[in-house]
Amino acid sequence: MRARIDISEIETETKIRAKYLRALENEEWDLLPGPTYVKSFLRTYADALGLDGKLLIEEYKLRHERLSDVELQPIAPLGQRDRRRAPRAAFSRRWLVVVVVVGLIVALYFVGSNGGNGGGGGGGGGGAASTPTSTPTQSASGSDTGSSTATTPKKKAKAKPKRARLTIVATGQVYVCLKAAGQRTPINGIVLTGGARQGPYRSSRFRVQLGTSEARLVVNGKSHTVPSASAGIGYEITPTKIHRLSRSKWPSCARA
């Protein structure tokens, strides 16, 4: 209600029936099919409103779901079998550490031996061998560059907004007609004077008609200046773009 969003609009966007949306608002959990549906509906509804769905689900779990049987089991002391197994497990872990250390020593030994043989062969080859030795160096540097590029973490793509937030600021006398999604008419053909503001309004799509260019559109916090138009101008506004409309597609309102 504070965001001026009709529940029918949310129903269309989330595909959740209006009676279930009202049950979520009123916390009437018995009217919903079950806890799984409640958590799924809460997450979808929160995403549509721009809220944190995880917090709502955690609050629902704490207040309305019982702890599982595993969480309710008391912490019992170790039995005799557990006490016998504990030393054996510690002993096996020690042997595993010893085996790993020995394996590393052997691997390092073979790596050192192969590196020494390669260096000696290159030195004995004279000037003719200097050319091929430069090639592995270049390929190694190329592989390092490729690996560093491959391991560079990718930036997460910024999520696109699902609704446009629109405010109309009059810089002079201007006629305004504004239509929103769901056949809503936030501004039904009124004349604004300089300095007047209307909004913010929120919707997935707007169509606006301006009688003159004496206005400024603020969409999702960004200001857009209206170009000079003696015969008026119309726009279609979505969360991601502002598109100029032909005269035949302008919204129609009752003139003031």
Side-chain angles (χ1 to χ4, degrees), residues 62-246:
L62 291 174
R63 293 174 57 186
H64 301 285
E65 281 193 345
R66 296 180 57 188
L67 294 175
S68 64
D69 295 336
V70 175
E71 293 172 332
L72 292 175
Q73 289 180 357
I75 300 175
L78 291 174
Q80 292 183 355
R81 291 184 178 180
D82 295 331
R83 293 193 186 97
R84 293 173 183 173
R85 291 175 182 175
R88 294 178 182 176
F91 182 74
S92 62
R93 283 195 295 271
R94 291 172 189 160
W95 271 108
L96 179 61
V97 172
V98 171
V99 171
V100 171
V101 172
V102 172
L104 287 175
I105 294 173
V106 173
L108 291 173
Y109 172 77
F110 279 108
V111 170
S113 300
N114 293 335
N117 293 335
S130 60
T131 302
T133 54
S134 61
T135 303
T137 305
Q138 294 175 358
S139 63
S141 62
S143 62
D144 292 341
T145 305
S147 62
S148 62
T149 305
T151 56
T152 303
K154 296 182 180 179
K155 295 182 179 179
K156 294 184 178 178
K158 189 176 181 181
K160 296 182 179 180
K162 296 182 178 180
R163 281 186 174 77
R165 186 174 69 255
L166 172 63
T167 301
I168 299 177
V169 182
T171 58
Q173 188 170 348
V174 58
Y175 167 82
V176 180
C177 171
L178 179 64
K179 295 282 188 178
Q183 302 300 321
R184 293 185 294 122
T185 308
I187 303 178
N188 191 16
I190 64 174
V191 177
L192 302 178
T193 57
R197 299 173 65 94
Q198 292 290 319
Y201 304 102
R202 292 174 176 83
S203 179
S204 58
R205 187 178 301 273
F206 291 105
R207 285 189 304 138
V208 60
Q209 176 191 353
L210 302 173
T212 64
S213 60
E214 301 293 326
R216 183 164 48 87
L217 304 178
V218 182
V219 181
N220 292 337
K222 296 182 179 180
S223 181
H224 298 270
T225 303
V226 178
S228 178
S230 58
I233 193 169
Y235 289 103
E236 182 180 58
I237 301 170
T238 64
T240 57
K241 66 179 181 178
I242 300 177
H243 175 67
R244 187 167 178 173
L245 295 174
S246 61

Side-chain angles (χ1 to χ4, degrees), residues 10 14 16 21 24-25 40-50:
I10 297 294
T14 62
I16 300 174
L21 294 175
L24 291 175
E25 288 283 359
S40 177
F41 289 170
L42 279 174
R43 183 182 296 108
T44 304
Y45 191 25
D47 291 343
L49 294 178

Side-chain angles (χ1 to χ4, degrees), residues 6-18 21 182:
D6 189 75
I7 200 165
S8 62
E9 185 180 348
I10 297 294
E11 181 182 18
T12 302
E13 181 174 344
T14 62
K15 310 301 181 184
I16 300 174
R17 297 173 63 181
L21 294 175

